[in-house]
Every structure is written in structure tokens, then in C-alpha cells.
Amino acid sequence: MTQHVSEKDVRGIAQYCRIGLSEADLPRMTRDLNDIIDSLKPITEYDLEGVEPTFHPIGDLSNVMREDAEVRGFTQEEALSNAPKQQDGQFLIPAILGGGEA
């Protein structure tokens, strides 16, 4: 097995990703990550000389979104019709930072 990443690398990756990795788990995770990287080695053996890079896996796919069409929206009364609480034409919601009642 080739050593692609060290325990120090794995510790840094875990810290960066905020993954709680114990010292006991570190050797196994290091071995697993190195095995995963080794399993990708066959990809590097393809002859890609002259192959143009693609930016989308489907090739010439263009904009697939619908046309932007103007549609009638809700009136203020319709939007507020099912609101549990409202005040002055607005939704009234509970305060989340304290200091207020709703």
C-alpha cells in the first residue's frame, strides 16, 4: 500500500471537516483513505492524449429551464388569510432573539 496521506494529514482533514476522530480511530481511517486512493489508480492509466475536456457530462445540453412567464401572484389578503397571527398587514411571528412578544 502506498502512503498517500499520513496520520497528520487525516487529523488535519478531520479537524477541517469538524469530524470527531479519536486517536484510536486515526490509524484505521488513514489506512482506509489510502486504500480508497489506491482504488482510483486505474483511472490514471487511461490514455487521454487529445481528449478535449468537457464541462457538462451530457455535452451540448443547453438551458433546460422554462421560459420566464409572468403569472398572477397572491394579493396581500390572500397571503395573510391563513396566518395564525398578523399585525398591520404583515405576518406576526414569535421573537427568536428575545426581548419581544409575538
Side-chain angles (χ1 to χ4, degrees):
M1 176 180 80
T2 305
Q3 185 77 6
H4 302 284
V5 292
S6 67
E7 286 187 8
K8 180 181 177 188
D9 296 328
V10 174
R11 188 180 294 111
I13 293 167
Q15 183 179 7
Y16 180 77
C17 296
R18 298 181 183 196
I19 297 172
L21 191 62
S22 71
E23 287 297 318
D25 292 333
L26 196 57
R28 183 170 151 226
M29 182 60 69
T30 303
R31 185 177 61 252
D32 288 349
L33 285 175
N34 281 302
D35 287 346
I36 291 168
I37 294 169
D38 278 339
S39 73
L40 298 174
K41 184 166 178 16
I43 293 173
T44 66
E45 296 172 359
Y46 289 111
D47 178 19
L48 300 176
E49 188 67 34
V51 176
E52 292 293 320
T54 59
F55 298 101
H56 196 283
I58 303 179
D60 292 333
L61 185 65
S62 62
N63 188 355
V64 295
M65 296 161 79
R66 66 171 172 76
E67 290 295 319
D68 192 15
E70 186 176 331
V71 294
R72 181 185 166 276
F74 293 117
T75 65
Q76 185 175 9
E77 293 77 26
E78 290 172 325
L80 292 171
S81 66
N82 289 324
K85 293 184 181 180
Q86 52 181 295
Q87 178 181 347
D88 300 325
Q90 301 176 11
F91 293 102
L92 186 62
I93 60 170
I96 59 170
L97 299 177
E101 290 293 323

